[in-house]
Amino acid sequence: MQVSSLNEVKIYSLSAGRSLPEWLSDRKKRALQKKDGDIRRRIELIQDFEMPTISTKIKVSRDGQYIMAVGTYKPRIRCFDTYQLSQKFERCLDSEVVTFEILSDDYSKIVFLQCDRFVEFHSQHGHYYRTRIPKFGRDFSYHYPSCDLYFVAASSEVYRLNLEQGRFLNSLQTDASENNVCDINPTHFLFATGTAEGKVECWDPRTRNRVGLLDCALSSVTADTEIDGLPSISALKFNGALNMAVGTSTGQVLLYDLRSSNPLIVKDHQYGLPIKSIQFQHQLDLIISADSRIIKMWNKDTGKIFTSMEPEYDINDVCLYPNSGMLMTANEAPKMNIYYMPVLGPAPKWCSFLDNLTEELEENPESTVYDDYKFVTRKDLENLGLAHLIGSSLLRAYMHGFFMDIRLYHKAKMMANPFAYEEYRREKIRQKIEETRAQRVQLKKLPKVNKELALKLIEEEEEQQAARKRKQKNLPSLLKDDRFKVMFENPDFQVDEQSEEFRLLNPLVSKISEKRKKKLKILEEREAQEQEEEEEPEGKPSDAESSESSDDEKGWVEEVRKQRKLLRQEEKAKRQERFKEDQQTLLKPQFFEIKEGEEFRSFKDSAKKQKLMKKTLGDRLKLEEKLGTLSVSDTTVGSKQATFKLKKSEQQKKQQEAEKQHRQERKTLRRSAGHLKSKRGRGQRFH
């Protein structure tokens, strides 16, 4: 939420801040809200109160429950329910909407005037009926007593459509070439239309006759105004039975009393842009007029400026929520702006918490900070020696002082007080020293065993302290845990930093351990001193701060190389020592027993295998082909086919010979048995 103040009028922008894309999931939105402070502090009064590209018109229903806005792209209308603070429905249309009107108290009856000459009627369920007018429409008004719609268009005629009979009635013929805007008085139902020639024609709907003519173009030109062309009427609004405000295309607002042809007040916006909207605020007798660049609020009796607002994007329409201090704008941006001014009135009942919120902000006011400009008074300029710049382009007058470039302000202040930076630097160094003293580790907390490990755990615990606060979890400390208590009490658990395993697993631990040893040494020295320390002179960092300064990346790489070199040297020294010991020892012959069933082979076989493995694949294949273990043949396709025969061991050969001999013996036995059978058969036949 952004707060601005002009003429002591607080304006709260409720739509200020970053908006999240629609395609983001709820989980990612929650994650962004946790990380980004701007998103977390923003106020989303109505959920998704925006359009895809731009919004053109915005209105509030008569019961105050629904806010309706039209925009692009694609052309659509969105209805927001203030009781639910969210969107109720969205309907897409065939073409862009020029303007629309809510005929009922809620959203059940809506009329849209579209840019392609169509008039579209919507009921509670959606699209109801569509008709067309002869010319391109620019504005329309609804006459409640007769149920007539009056359309003004790029024509001299005012078209009338009766909703009770469902047909067009005779048009009103004006003297203008084109009609831009129209309005109907809510008290006596006088119809007024603003023309392109800068005139306002008033008609009586009962007699369908013109009853008055005002030449606003001539009245808008005063001695102080400069115009390029003929002012046409761009905005029109009735207030009560007798007052009417007229806005011109050249940026003037004229307030009329219907009983007089001369304006009561002529207010110039000074931008030369067409007036887009005029609203009346009855509690403070204010007129709210807006062009595409600025919204001005001024007193309708005196013309004195009350306050003004300049949004970031161009304004298309302004809507004042009834009986409240809330103002909504449709602009050339996806997000529709919502402003709240407690001076104009209370917050609506559906967002009454805004009153409490603004009261808390007013109790703790914050000064406005500008990034590029510095606000200085005349006295400040005299102190800086820049009073001669008053009236030049380097100073911009604003209220009781001036705005000047922040760079020029810093240069002038440096010349006026050259030691300001040194004082600021000393103060910052003193604050840093105080912060580090408050976070120092006391030696009495360190155990007798594994002091460096305990110091490391304490440092990690301090680094994660902020994260634990966010998570709101009280994690147990490893030093206070009973399961690891013995590790810091029993000397058998002392970490041996000189062991090979420790140094291989922690190649950088030596540098870190040296850093911790320095810190331990500093802590021991402080413990030996008296309890009350002497303060250091400001501007000089302590030894702890210098020891805590982190080494650069190059130092880490050199330390890693150094550790690896030391490990290689130590390994080389160990190998030399082992070699010397082997030379000094006398070798004795050793005898080995051969297992049963195995044959002893000479050492020449292993030598032959080693020589064979050193040969190339081609030589080995030729050798195996000679021995008969490999046969190479050509195929029909043209490729080579190789067949390998595995070499059998001596034991396998003996086993195969035994099996062969066994098969031969069985064969001879079968033959002998067959001869005996045949002899027996012959003997029986003989007998």
Side-chain angles (χ1 to χ4, degrees):
M1 185 171 64
Q2 187 177 359
V3 184
S4 59
S5 178
L6 182 62
N7 292 345
E8 298 182 357
V9 177
K10 290 288 185 68
I11 302 173
Y12 298 89
S13 179
L14 305 179
S15 56
R18 295 173 56 187
S19 59
L20 298 176
E22 295 181 357
W23 42 265
L24 280 182
S25 62
D26 295 339
R27 184 178 181 180
K28 290 184 177 180
K29 287 181 179 179
R30 289 193 297 268
L32 282 175
Q33 288 177 356
K34 291 180 180 178
K35 295 180 181 178
D36 198 329
D38 294 338
I39 297 177
R40 187 169 59 252
R41 287 192 298 268
R42 68 175 184 154
I43 295 178
E44 193 174 12
L45 192 61
I46 300 176
Q47 186 178 3
D48 298 331
F49 192 66
E50 56 187 16
M51 281 289 173
T53 308
I54 63 171
S55 52
T56 55
K57 291 286 182 180
I58 183 168
K59 293 181 183 294
V60 180
S61 61
R62 285 200 295 270
D63 58 2
Q65 184 177 354
Y66 303 101
I67 301 173
M68 298 186 188
V70 294
T72 56
Y73 180 80
K74 300 178 179 180
R76 67 190 66 204
I77 177 175
R78 286 183 175 178
C79 179
F80 300 92
D81 192 347
T82 57
Y83 290 178
Q84 303 296 328
L85 298 179
S86 61
Q87 181 178 309
K88 186 172 182 63
F89 64 83
E90 178 184 16
R91 297 173 187 170
C92 290
L93 306 171
D94 295 335
S95 58
E96 294 183 12
V97 176
V98 178
T99 185
F100 73 100
E101 189 70 35
I102 305 172
L103 304 183
S104 60
D105 292 339
D106 52 5
Y107 65 92
S108 58
K109 294 179 183 179
I110 314 173
V111 183
F112 299 96
L113 176 61
Q114 299 176 347
C115 63
D116 55 354
R117 294 191 292 150
F118 275 99
V119 180
E120 193 167 321
F121 298 87
H122 280 221
S123 61
Q124 192 169 5
H125 63 82
H127 178 269
Y128 179 75
Y129 184 71
R130 197 181 189 201
T131 186
R132 203 170 189 180
I133 58 177
K135 298 290 183 179
F136 290 97
R138 295 181 177 174
D139 196 7
F140 73 93
S141 296
Y142 182 60
H143 188 253
Y144 283 92
S146 61
C147 299
D148 288 344
L149 284 175
Y150 288 79
F151 295 94
V152 295
S155 172
S156 60
E157 295 182 337
V158 178
Y159 307 110
R160 296 193 301 151
L161 176 61
N162 188 270
L163 301 183
E164 185 179 5
Q165 301 177 20
R167 65 185 182 92
F168 282 97
L169 304 178
N170 293 332
S171 303
L172 303 180
Q173 186 66 42
T174 63
D175 295 338
S177 60
E178 294 179 355
N179 293 286
N180 295 332
V181 291
C182 64
D183 193 22
I184 294 178
N185 192 293
T187 305
H188 47 68
F189 303 105
L190 180 69
F191 174 75
T193 175
T195 65
E197 288 79 11
K199 297 181 180 179
V200 176
E201 296 188 11
C202 299
W203 293 73
D204 188 354
R206 297 170 297 180
T207 60
R208 297 185 298 278
N209 293 326
R210 190 176 70 186
V211 295
L213 180 64
L214 292 174
D215 192 351
C216 300
L218 183 61
S219 302
S220 63
V221 180
T222 60
D224 299 333
T225 57
E226 296 180 1
I227 57 175
D228 297 332
L230 182 65
S232 60
I233 307 302
S234 59
L236 191 64
K237 186 70 175 178
F238 279 105
N239 179 36
L242 299 176
N243 292 333
M244 178 180 66
V246 180
T248 64
S249 59
T250 54
Q252 289 83 28
V253 180
L254 298 86
L255 182 62
Y256 280 93
D257 190 316
L258 294 181
R259 296 169 292 184
S260 173
S261 59
N262 295 324
L264 301 175
I265 292 176
V266 178
K267 193 68 178 177
D268 194 351
H269 273 220
Q270 304 293 337
Y271 283 108
L273 300 173
I275 303 298
K276 297 236 176 156
S277 174
I278 299 176
Q279 302 286 336
F280 287 91
Q281 211 279 339
H282 301 288
Q283 282 79 5
L284 300 178
D285 292 335
L286 299 177
I287 295 178
I288 305 172
S289 56
D291 55 21
S292 60
R293 190 169 179 179
I294 190 170
I295 302 172
K296 286 191 175 183
M297 302 181 188
W298 44 282
N299 190 281
K300 68 175 184 178
D301 297 326
T302 61
K304 184 180 179 181
I305 284 289
F306 182 72
T307 188
S308 63
M309 294 178 289
E310 292 189 41
E312 184 178 0
Y313 300 99
D314 290 346
I315 303 167
N316 290 327
D317 193 20
V318 176
C319 176
L320 181 65
Y321 196 90
N323 302 321
S324 72
M326 182 173 289
L327 190 72
M328 294 170 285
T329 63
N331 32 271
E332 295 285 329
K335 187 181 291 187
M336 293 178 284
N337 294 331
I338 302 177
Y339 299 96
Y340 174 57
M341 289 164 280
V343 180
L344 298 183
K349 59 181 180 180
W350 49 272
C351 58
S352 57
F353 59 88
L354 288 178
D355 291 329
N356 299 330
L357 184 62
T358 53
E359 287 177 2
E360 292 178 2
L361 291 176
E362 289 178 358
E363 290 177 0
N364 302 319
E366 295 182 0
S367 58
T368 306
V369 179
Y370 296 90
D371 294 331
D372 302 326
Y373 291 93
K374 175 71 176 178
F375 181 79
V376 292
T377 61
R378 189 180 294 271
K379 186 177 181 180
D380 296 335
L381 290 175
E382 292 176 356
N383 295 334
L384 295 174
L386 300 178
H388 61 281
L389 296 179
I390 297 175
S392 64
S393 59
L394 298 176
L395 297 177
R396 183 180 177 182
Y398 182 77
M399 296 177 67
H400 62 284
F402 305 89
F403 276 117
M404 65 183 300
D405 195 292
I406 192 69
R407 294 170 294 180
L408 177 60
Y409 174 79
H410 287 320
K411 288 181 180 179
K413 192 172 182 181
M414 182 63 68
M415 294 175 65
N417 187 7
F419 301 101
Y421 177 72
E422 291 297 331
E423 294 175 0
Y424 170 79
R425 183 172 175 272
R426 288 173 187 158
E427 182 65 23
K428 282 293 181 183
I429 291 174
R430 190 188 62 79
Q431 292 178 3
K432 289 290 183 182
I433 292 173
E434 292 297 332
E435 290 176 2
T436 54
R437 283 175 178 170
Q439 297 174 359
R440 284 174 184 165
V441 180
Q442 301 296 331
L443 276 176
K444 59 182 181 181
K445 293 183 180 179
L446 296 178
K448 296 180 179 180
V449 182
N450 290 328
K451 286 186 178 181
E452 296 184 10
L453 178 61
L455 185 60
K456 176 186 174 183
L457 295 174
I458 292 173
E459 289 178 355
E460 292 178 354
E461 186 178 357
E462 290 176 354
E463 290 175 359
Q464 298 176 357
Q465 189 174 6
R468 291 178 182 177
K469 286 182 179 179
R470 288 195 297 268
K471 293 180 181 179
Q472 295 181 355
K473 291 183 179 180
N474 296 324
L475 299 178
S477 176
L478 194 62
L479 296 171
K480 299 178 181 179
D481 198 337
D482 295 335
R483 296 174 295 175
F484 305 98
K485 189 177 181 180
V486 184
M487 189 171 63
F488 301 101
E489 294 178 354
N490 193 347
D492 296 336
F493 291 95
Q494 178 69 40
V495 177
D496 186 9
E497 297 182 0
Q498 300 300 326
S499 63
E500 184 179 356
E501 294 81 2
F502 181 83
R503 294 174 66 181
L504 287 175
L505 293 174
N506 301 274
L508 303 178
V509 79
S510 61
K511 189 71 177 177
I512 301 172
S513 62
E514 288 177 5
K515 187 177 176 181
R516 291 204 180 93
K517 285 177 182 177
K518 290 180 181 178
K519 193 168 183 179
L520 281 171
K521 187 177 180 181
I522 293 167
L523 293 174
E524 288 173 359
E525 290 176 357
R526 287 181 184 166
E527 189 181 24
Q529 293 176 358
E530 296 180 358
Q531 295 181 356
E532 297 181 358
E533 296 179 343
E534 297 180 359
E535 286 192 13
E536 295 177 332
E538 294 180 355
K540 295 183 180 180
S542 62
D543 294 338
E545 290 176 346
S546 61
S547 64
E548 288 176 0
S549 60
S550 60
D551 297 332
D552 55 357
E553 187 178 356
K554 186 176 180 180
W556 288 111
V557 174
E558 291 178 355
E559 184 64 26
V560 172
R561 291 175 180 173
K562 184 179 177 182
Q563 287 294 326
R564 289 178 179 174
K565 189 176 180 180
L566 289 173
L567 288 173
R568 285 196 296 268
Q569 291 176 357
E570 291 176 2
E571 187 67 25
K572 188 176 179 180
K574 289 179 181 179
R575 285 199 302 268
Q576 291 177 356
E577 290 178 1
R578 286 198 299 267
F579 181 72
K580 290 179 181 179
E581 291 176 359
D582 293 341
Q583 286 182 345
Q584 293 176 1
T585 55
L586 296 174
L587 298 176
K588 296 181 180 180
Q590 293 183 359
F591 299 94
F592 299 93
E593 184 180 357
I594 300 174
K595 292 182 179 180
E596 187 178 356
E598 293 185 358
E599 294 182 358
F600 173 73
R601 294 182 181 181
S602 63
F603 296 103
K604 295 181 180 179
D605 294 338
S606 60
K608 287 181 180 179
K609 286 184 179 180
Q610 290 179 358
K611 289 182 180 179
L612 185 63
M613 292 303 295
K614 291 181 180 179
K615 292 184 178 181
T616 60
L617 178 63
D619 296 340
R620 280 184 284 168
L621 291 176
K622 288 179 183 179
L623 182 62
E624 290 178 358
E625 191 173 358
K626 288 179 182 180
L627 296 174
T629 58
L630 174 70
S631 62
V632 181
S633 60
D634 296 334
T635 61
T636 56
V637 187
S639 59
K640 295 286 185 180
Q641 180 178 356
T643 305
F644 293 91
K645 294 180 180 179
L646 299 176
K647 190 179 287 186
K648 299 178 182 178
S649 61
E650 295 294 334
Q651 188 175 359
Q652 289 178 346
K653 287 181 180 179
K654 290 181 180 180
Q655 188 176 359
Q656 285 182 357
E657 289 177 359
E659 290 178 355
K660 186 176 180 181
Q661 188 176 359
H662 180 67
R663 284 196 297 269
Q664 289 178 356
E665 290 177 356
R666 291 184 65 182
K667 189 183 287 186
T668 54
L669 288 173
R670 283 197 299 270
R671 287 178 181 176
S672 60
H675 287 300
L676 290 173
K677 286 182 180 179
S678 61
K679 287 180 179 181
R680 287 177 183 175
R682 290 174 185 174
Q684 289 176 358
R685 286 196 303 270
F686 180 77
H687 288 295

